[in-house]
Amino acid sequence: WFSFQSNINLMKKLISIFITLTILMLHQSAQAEPWVNTSNIYLKANIQLLADSGHIITPVTTYPLMWQDIIRDIKNIELNNLTPNQLNAYHYIKYQFQLASKNQIRIKAQTSKNDNRFVTFGDTFRDKNSIQVQFSMVGDNFAAKLSPSFSNSRNDTNSSNFEESYIAAFIGNWVISLGKQNRWYGPTWDTSLSLSNNASPIPAIALTRKSAEPFTIPFTKVDIPWTVTTFMGKMDDNRIVKNTLLWGFRLNLKPFKNLELGVTRLAQWGGEGREQSLSTFGDILIGKTNCGIDGVVCEGNTLNPANQQAGYDLRYTMNIFDFPLSFYGQKFAEDGKEGTLQYLTKAQPQLGFDLHLNVFGKPSTVYIEWADSLADCGERDKIGNCYYEHSNYETGMRYEGRALGSSYDNDAKTYVIGTISQLDINTHMTARLRYLDLNYDNQDKAPNNSIIGNTVSSIAEQVWIISASIQHDKQNWRFTLGTDISRSTYTDKLPNSNDLNISLTIEYNL
């Protein structure tokens, strides 16, 4: 019922269609790209500030985020009602929109001492030493972006990629797209238990609501902006079940200006030798995929037809002396049976709060986050190896050696405090302190198999990391300098290890 060609064939088609669209749209005036992606944490911080202040009314915790509603809300703002920090955010967002409108070609070169072990929102690289060229064009009914890159991979072999490449068509209030786009589901900053940009994006076809036009509750005047996106992709990397399909769904709504809610579902299914019929997908939609648990009768060698995850998140904001303070969190679960929703079980928490204020006189967002990704398998207390895992889809919710969700994989407790600051109109800075208790049950599903089990650490590891980055824009240039200093200790009394990673990214917009 659903199939993809190989990644190479997909990208050949993408290039061919991009060239065709380029020829067709040469007579049209250039517009901005339709999406805000996960590459700019400063843009995310400024959008979040105006959303927390009630000036942006569209839901903003699902990325890629549509530009259309953001710029509509920006144009409706009365500048006299803004505080100095909000005014800075207004001008930054407007500038980034103008930049996206005017610059259709971007060249990015990056070098670093090591690979980026833990990828977070806004990080400019995963693998060391890469170069990327981006071409984008938007017409009235189509958008296309071609983004070939070449990098020195984690395995010290050269690799090419087409990350952030896509073609898209606008049909009414919907966008149909095909490509490889990074996604981030949830209100967090450092990482997300559900879906983050930690792993490389998979090739997928997606359907997204273009504008979060509100629905009105019957017999009231209450309008609720909402958006929804769903995708189907192919996990075409080296894994136990080849060409596993991944279905994703995200509903995001804002019932009040200071409250945003989200619901996320993910499901692995199909692949070589596995059932991938319409009826099987129908069972996935209603969460009926666990043999002997959900009324599913599995006989003989029949396997569970899917590996599902589901959860919800929320973000609530209040004001303290004109400074928005938000509490947010998510509960995200592996499949199974627990409570009323039978496909939710082993739910793990992620909690945080952030505050938009001045730090040393500079507009800043300060956040603190905590998460725990150890889900008890039920065999005995404090033994994990369940989260992002599955008995049949043994590679689990991972792609190209990284978890789709948390940057720290399963069985990890993480504590993070960070700041996102504007030093001047062209210079921004992030700083982060992390304590990571990785794989703290000191067990791994397959310590000697690179495509099964924890991708971060096969044994218990305690890590302190201090990270900082500074970004400076000068005309069409952007320079980003980053550093990570880490110290690791081990439960198994291995020698302590220290690491220093320095990275430099240079971007030029034509």
Side-chain angles (χ1 to χ4, degrees):
W1 169 69
F2 182 89
S3 63
F4 285 97
Q5 299 298 320
S6 68
N7 192 30
I8 293 177
N9 288 337
L10 174 67
M11 291 310 158
K12 284 181 179 179
K13 291 181 179 179
L14 191 64
I15 293 171
S16 176
I17 296 174
F18 180 87
I19 294 172
T20 302
L21 289 174
T22 300
I23 295 172
L24 290 175
M25 295 188 293
L26 279 176
H27 69 283
Q28 301 183 23
S29 59
Q31 303 175 32
E33 284 190 58
W35 289 286
V36 179
N37 60 32
T38 65
S39 66
N40 190 340
I41 195 169
Y42 307 109
L43 181 55
K44 172 180 165 67
N46 283 287
I47 289 173
Q48 192 66 66
L49 168 57
L50 293 189
D52 292 342
S53 305
H55 298 292
I56 290 178
I57 61 175
T58 190
V60 295
T61 59
T62 302
Y63 284 79
L65 178 64
M66 297 301 300
W67 260 121
Q68 177 170 306
D69 285 344
I70 298 299
I71 204 64
R72 177 206 63 203
D73 291 346
I74 286 292
K75 290 178 179 178
N76 290 332
I77 292 177
E78 292 289 340
L79 300 189
N80 292 334
N81 296 330
L82 299 182
T83 67
N85 285 4
Q86 293 165 10
L87 189 60
N88 281 335
Y90 168 87
H91 287 301
Y92 184 82
I93 295 169
K94 201 170 181 182
Y95 172 73
Q96 292 301 318
F97 178 75
Q98 292 170 351
L99 194 66
S101 300
K102 294 178 180 178
N103 296 279
Q104 305 301 312
I105 301 176
R106 172 176 294 186
I107 301 172
K108 182 172 79 171
Q110 175 274 328
T111 185
S112 61
K113 180 175 176 288
N114 303 312
D115 296 330
N116 192 0
R117 188 181 184 190
F118 307 114
V119 176
T120 66
F121 197 106
D123 279 354
T124 57
F125 73 102
R126 292 185 185 88
D127 303 330
K128 61 183 181 181
N129 305 330
S130 64
I131 187 167
Q132 183 180 50
V133 182
Q134 298 178 351
F135 309 88
S136 61
M137 179 168 285
V138 179
D140 292 335
N141 299 307
F142 292 94
K145 183 175 183 179
L146 182 63
S147 183
S149 65
F150 187 79
S151 68
N152 196 208
S153 73
R154 289 181 293 277
N155 298 321
D156 292 326
T157 58
N158 293 325
S159 63
S160 58
N161 202 342
F162 285 85
E163 182 173 328
E164 289 299 334
S165 297
Y166 61 80
I167 55 173
F170 309 139
I171 304 175
N173 196 33
W174 295 94
V175 181
I176 300 175
S177 60
L178 172 66
K180 300 185 69 174
Q181 292 179 275
N182 284 299
R183 292 176 168 85
W184 186 285
Y185 291 174
T188 52
W189 299 95
D190 180 68
T191 192
S192 177
L193 290 181
S194 53
L195 191 59
S196 74
N197 63 342
N198 179 53
S200 296
I202 69 173
I205 185 170
L207 178 66
T208 304
R209 200 163 188 251
K210 185 178 180 183
S211 174
E213 295 177 357
F215 70 87
T216 302
I217 299 178
F219 310 109
T220 73
K221 295 183 179 180
V222 178
D223 292 332
I224 300 180
W226 66 282
T227 188
V228 67
T229 183
T230 185
F231 68 87
M232 189 74 75
K234 186 181 77 169
M235 308 183 83
D236 54 354
D237 58 336
N238 182 24
R239 55 196 313 111
I240 299 300
V241 179
K242 304 296 183 183
N243 298 323
T244 296
L245 301 179
L246 178 70
W247 171 65
F249 172 87
R250 172 78 172 171
L251 172 65
N252 205 184
L253 65 157
K254 208 167 184 179
F256 307 102
K257 284 188 176 182
N258 63 340
L259 177 64
E260 185 167 342
L261 305 174
V263 176
T264 300
R265 288 190 62 189
L266 299 173
Q268 290 178 304
W269 68 297
E272 289 187 3
R274 303 300 173 91
E275 181 63 41
Q276 52 188 53
S277 64
L278 274 173
S279 62
T280 300
F281 186 64
D283 289 338
I284 292 171
L285 291 177
I286 62 175
K288 192 176 178 181
T289 56
N290 290 282
C291 296
I293 295 179
D294 299 327
V296 179
V297 178
C298 300
E299 299 177 353
N301 296 323
T302 303
L303 302 174
N304 287 351
N307 172 27
Q308 294 212 57
Q309 291 184 317
Y312 61 90
D313 56 79
L314 60 86
R315 180 184 180 88
Y316 178 79
T317 303
M318 63 185 72
N319 281 319
I320 300 179
F321 305 112
D322 287 330
F323 295 115
L325 170 65
S326 299
F327 297 89
Y328 56 87
Q330 67 172 313
K331 292 276 283 186
F332 202 68
E334 290 287 345
D335 54 354
K337 181 177 182 180
E338 176 180 271
T340 304
L341 299 176
Q342 294 189 355
Y343 54 83
L344 293 181
T345 189
K346 306 183 183 76
Q348 295 307 112
Q350 184 174 18
L351 302 172
F353 76 88
D354 59 44
L355 179 64
H356 304 283
L357 75 172
N358 290 321
V359 176
F360 301 114
K362 305 300 182 182
S364 302
T365 298
V366 179
Y367 63 88
I368 296 177
E369 293 183 0
W370 169 83
D372 187 350
S373 62
L374 188 146
D376 185 2
C377 293
E379 298 173 358
R380 60 182 187 271
D381 291 341
K382 298 182 179 179
I383 297 298
N385 306 327
C386 291
Y387 215 61
Y388 304 130
E389 306 284 9
H390 196 257
S391 57
N392 304 139
Y393 291 93
E394 293 183 89
T395 306
M397 288 286 184
R398 303 181 178 95
Y399 184 68
E400 293 188 354
R402 291 180 182 262
L404 298 180
S406 173
S407 304
Y408 315 109
D409 215 295
N410 59 22
D411 308 342
K413 284 183 181 178
T414 59
Y415 308 82
V416 183
I417 180 171
T419 62
I420 307 162
S421 302
Q422 177 179 318
L423 302 185
D424 60 42
I425 191 171
N426 293 316
T427 308
H428 297 76
M429 179 179 179
T430 64
R432 185 187 302 116
L433 174 64
R434 288 175 281 184
Y435 174 71
L436 315 174
D437 194 359
L438 303 174
N439 198 11
Y440 66 90
D441 69 332
N442 205 24
Q443 301 284 332
D444 187 41
K445 187 175 179 180
N448 298 317
N449 191 323
S450 61
I451 62 173
I452 300 178
N454 196 299
T455 61
V456 171
S457 181
S458 60
I459 60 175
E461 178 184 356
Q462 300 80 44
V463 190
W464 283 97
I465 305 178
I466 299 175
S467 304
S469 67
I470 187 166
Q471 185 181 96
H472 180 71
D473 293 333
K474 185 174 178 59
Q475 295 178 344
N476 290 346
W477 294 89
R478 171 174 290 171
F479 306 90
T480 305
L481 179 65
T483 183
D484 292 324
I485 302 172
S486 65
R487 179 174 177 81
S488 295
T489 58
Y490 304 90
T491 301
D492 289 346
K493 301 188 183 301
L494 296 175
N496 298 340
S497 62
N498 303 312
D499 188 38
L500 169 66
N501 196 19
I502 299 175
S503 65
L504 174 64
T505 302
I506 301 175
E507 300 171 71
Y508 182 73
N509 294 292
L510 299 177

